[in-house]
Amino acid sequence: MKTKAIKHIFTPPPFHMVGDGFRVHNFFPHLPEIGKQGMSPFFLLDYNSKVMLSPTDKPRGVGVHPHRGFETVTIAYHGKVAHHDSAGNSGIIEEGDVQWMTAASGVLHKEYHEKEFSKKGGAFQMVQLWVNLPAKHKMSKPKYQEITNKQMPKYELPNNGGHIDIIAGEFNGLKGPAYTFTPIEMYNAKLKKGATIKLNFPEHYNTGILMVEGNATINETEKAPADHFVYFKNEGEEITVTANEDSVLLVLSGEPIKEPIAAHGPFLMNNMQEIQQAMIDFNDGKFGELAD
Ligand code: MN
């Protein structure tokens, strides 16, 4: 098995605020080295690195806004997020949980820190991914998957080396609960100091690892510290990860969707005409209703 070559290990880019609740580093599509197409099928990676939040009675977050043409995947590492959408779905994303919202033809939603968590304050750390949909599913019915940590199969490493939570795809015969429209592998690897894992993804899959916590050596040579993003070439299959301290890694790999991309604000379509239609439909109230 040939080693999957590393293209680059990125330090976190300067943060920006999403609403007043999310202080995010955007690794893509912002970084020119990755490109405006993102890392297909993953179009966007916003990383709220760990921050300590002061207590507040007024939850911080993002107010009502639309999405069309893709899925938002929110992964909670610290803190809690409450979510409501115009398809009638709502829920609280707790530590270790994942919310997989298929906006597809269009929803309105809002994302706020959960009320009781806001009152207490404390550590907050999240990831939001935008997963693109192929053209034939962009106008499908919206859907919502609430994936609790308990629902994720856990691959236990030998010698108390930690475990791997499988969110989507398959690792060593264990299948993740997320339904995906295109082939996607997504795991949280929670490794103890000294543990080594081997990952295998097809050469043509786009692959990256976000270092959520700790410090790891990738492919026995490159050091990846916390909050860095390891971006791989489409070359080779096997990745070796050794944790130099207790570490948490978000592993992402997926088959690229080879279709044109037209991205504008909260819409991700195949051409500008579809973007314009999304704006018209949004202004005509076709994304439904959701109170502030
Ligand atoms: Mn959103």
Side-chain angles (χ1 to χ4, degrees):
M1 195 79 59
K2 203 181 155 208
T3 299
K4 195 177 277 296
I6 296 168
K7 196 163 187 180
H8 196 77
I9 299 179
F10 292 103
T11 56
F15 68 84
H16 68 272
M17 292 302 294
V18 177
D20 67 355
F22 304 93
R23 178 191 179 276
V24 304
H25 306 275
N26 179 266
F27 284 98
F28 55 83
H30 168 84
L31 285 175
E33 296 90 343
I34 299 180
K36 290 195 189 316
Q37 309 289 303
M39 196 182 88
S40 183
F42 311 100
F43 175 73
L44 174 144
L45 170 57
D46 268 351
Y47 173 49
N48 192 132
S49 58
K50 201 190 282 171
V51 284
M52 292 303 289
L53 297 178
S54 57
T56 174
D57 286 331
K58 193 178 172 293
R60 305 170 179 101
V62 200
V64 176
H65 61 278
H67 289 299
R68 173 181 280 181
F70 63 100
E71 305 180 283
T72 63
V73 178
T74 307
I75 307 168
Y77 293 97
H78 290 285
K80 296 180 186 180
V81 170
H83 166 270
H84 295 84
D85 72 35
S86 56
N89 297 305
S90 66
I92 294 164
I93 314 162
E94 310 221 7
E95 296 189 8
D97 295 351
V98 173
Q99 181 217 59
W100 200 296
M101 185 191 77
T102 307
S105 65
V107 293
L108 305 176
H109 78 160
K110 54 182 180 180
E111 301 153 282
Y112 282 98
H113 302 172
E114 188 267 336
K115 217 172 164 184
E116 294 308 312
F117 167 73
S118 295
K119 277 185 188 164
K120 276 195 299 213
F124 187 78
Q125 190 176 21
M126 297 268 151
V127 163
Q128 189 168 84
L129 287 158
W130 289 12
V131 176
N132 198 6
L133 289 169
K136 65 176 176 195
H137 292 299
K138 281 192 182 292
M139 293 303 281
S140 294
K141 214 175 137 230
K143 122 190 185 107
Y144 183 82
Q145 301 176 77
E146 206 173 53
I147 304 167
T148 61
N149 189 266
K150 270 195 188 135
Q151 291 173 298
M152 300 168 197
K154 287 164 180 55
Y155 179 82
E156 296 290 337
L157 297 169
N159 311 317
N160 291 321
H163 64 270
I164 299 176
D165 292 347
I166 298 122
I167 303 165
E170 186 175 341
F171 182 79
N172 282 11
L174 298 176
K175 279 200 173 83
Y179 174 85
T180 67
F181 288 83
T182 59
I184 286 174
E185 304 290 325
M186 191 183 294
Y187 326 134
N188 270 318
K190 298 172 177 175
L191 310 181
K192 295 289 181 200
K193 182 180 176 175
T196 293
I197 56 167
K198 284 191 189 294
L199 303 162
N200 273 291
F201 304 119
E203 194 159 57
H204 69 287
Y205 275 33
N206 290 329
T207 302
I209 294 175
L210 177 68
M211 292 297 305
V212 175
E213 200 91 56
N215 186 306
T217 301
I218 314 292
N219 293 345
E220 292 166 0
T221 50
E222 305 277 333
K223 286 258 167 34
D227 302 335
H228 284 53
F229 184 70
V230 186
Y231 183 47
F232 293 88
K233 293 181 184 172
N234 293 107
E235 216 182 279
E237 296 93 22
E238 190 176 77
I239 299 168
T240 306
V241 176
T242 302
N244 303 317
E245 50 188 273
D246 290 359
S247 297
V248 177
L249 295 81
L250 173 63
V251 178
L252 302 169
S253 188
E255 186 176 77
I257 297 169
K258 294 197 165 147
E259 293 176 2
I261 280 180
H264 185 82
F267 308 126
L268 181 56
M269 305 302 290
N270 297 109
N271 56 57
M272 277 319 285
Q273 199 187 335
E274 290 167 350
I275 293 286
Q276 277 154 9
Q277 191 60 49
M279 291 179 189
I280 291 166
D281 290 349
F282 171 60
N283 288 327
D284 287 351
K286 289 189 180 156
F287 284 53
E289 278 180 38
L290 185 64
D292 268 315

